[in-house]
Amino acid sequence: MGAVEPLPIRVPVGAGSDRWVSRATDRRVLLVVHNVTSAGRLLDVLPLFHDDFRVQLLVTSTGSSVFQGGVGELFAGLGLPVLPWEQALATPVDLAISASFGGQLARVRGKLTVLSHGVGYTKTLAKPGAGSREPGAGSREPTFGLSAEWLLEDGKPFVDGLVLSHPEQLERLRRACPEAEDASVLAGDPCFDRLLAARPYRDRFRRALGVRRGQRLVVLNSTWNPEGLFGNGGGRDLLPGLLPRLAAELPSDDYRLAAVLHPNIWYGHGPGQIRAWLDRARRGGLALIDPVHSWRQALLAADAVVGDFGAVSYYAAALGIPVMLAAAAQDRLDPEAPLAAFVREAPGLDPHASLREQLGSLLAGHRPLAGPAEFVTSAPSASAALLRRHFYALMDLPEPAAPALLEPLPLPPYDPPRRTAPLRVRTRHDGADIAIERSAVVPYGADGETHLAVHEGTRDPGALETADVIVCEAEPDDPRLGGPDLWTAEVLRRHPHCAIAAYVTGPDGCTVRSRDHGMFRLSAGPGADADPAAYASALYAWLAAGGAVPSDGATLRMRAAGGTHPVLVERLPPLPGGHLYSADAPTRQIPLPGGHLAPQP
């Protein structure tokens, strides 16, 4: 949904607004949004004005970006007065803050400061209408945000503050546009500072994504360029083939996949279209990450990043996370920018070689590159104080007495994977020790016994007819399913080939019914942390090999994700009247109007 041009407002600014406002304020601060991408950096600095009753915050959109999707929803979430762009240009303000260029910023009636919305200024981009340069012309194009084309109006800088995060950007500015040097201010990187502050909560972010102990979270990241990982420009279209290979080659209990896509991809094509394109991957367990509010948390949770030449890959490398580049085009980058050097030096993904082996080598042999950690900011953890000092100096207003602080990254909602794609389960057992490996396909030449585990919500109903294990997840008292007893009995009646029905009731356990062995409760033993659906497959393999659960229960030692997970197996007694729910009980008849009978589903 694109942004809708709002009507001019009359409160708290506009003709005669003084008689309608409840509080008069000393200063007006206008947040200038070009698109959702640039708005993310404005959201970073918004808390620097919290609790200051002297300041009225306003927001506007230039409408100049081709990526207008999501802007309206973002404004609604902010809850700030929204000025149409023409009214914003006609309204005197004390400070305007933008995180991009374009949209006649030179006409803003007030002090203007511009922040980068990435890792400094790295991309090359010709200003619309500024000449005949062809896209992708490399260094022949000006550097976005550091060149005269973007910074000067009538030969003079129109910005009062150009926020830089590192002195190397100042050196490039001096070479490209010395006229704007006096407007520059070194003030760090608030985005990276929020990442640094949230590092102690990495385990919480992992648990929010449902990442288990021993699992490796691989984040796939793409910038919005056609030559990025998500794009199909530059003579290659890697992603459609890469996703199913990752699902097939990476065991689901050893690896988790998450995708962080640039907001311009997300809102340019539409979230619904992105979900449609990635549907099979999502059914296989891929997590799609909110590109505005949750991408940093996913990055901190990651064990490895498979990315491209975008800012997220650079932030990951600066945090010491192993990064492998699946797309490394450099013609969109300023060749003198540190990001370009990183792209030249970082290991690249070979789409024709084993993905599992490449990721294993990346993780085992990782040695952080020095450049990203050095050049992402020259003032780590100090941007809040530096930026607030800069903002208030431009407004000619004393700073608040309280310390300048950024918002901590919020803890995302608990969102474990819901894998509805069928899984081929390979097992090897030695008594109660059971090694398990679940993936979309069984590797060629793999040893061990194999069975098929299928989620009841699979897209392919035919898979249920050949499934050895059928799984669902629900609350134990979900009235729609009738609880574990009724659901498991119905599943075994409906699918004669199925040997075990597993009703997962939480992150640590499930209730299962075996066609030949009765009802059991499976729960995580001391130190166990694995998918309860895997517990059900381990039980299936053990029973199929002749195992038997004594009346006082048993403990299986399931080996997956590089660790051993004790699984407590408790035999459940039949409930009174339980014969009605028996897997072999005849189908009950439901009376219909007119005396007809219908079989119960």
Side-chain angles (χ1 to χ4, degrees), residues 168-187:
E168 73 80 21
Q169 296 159 30
L170 180 58
E171 291 301 318
R172 286 189 287 133
L173 176 67
R174 285 171 176 154
R175 293 193 294 271
C177 186
E179 300 91 335
E181 179 182 349
D182 290 344
S184 65
V185 55
L186 288 169

Side-chain angles (χ1 to χ4, degrees), residues 428-435 538 542 554-559 565 567:
R428 299 181 301 279
H429 56 84
D430 181 8
D433 285 314
I434 302 168
W542 186 56
T555 299
L556 304 180
R557 292 175 294 276
M558 189 183 81
R559 289 185 282 121
H565 305 268
V567 181

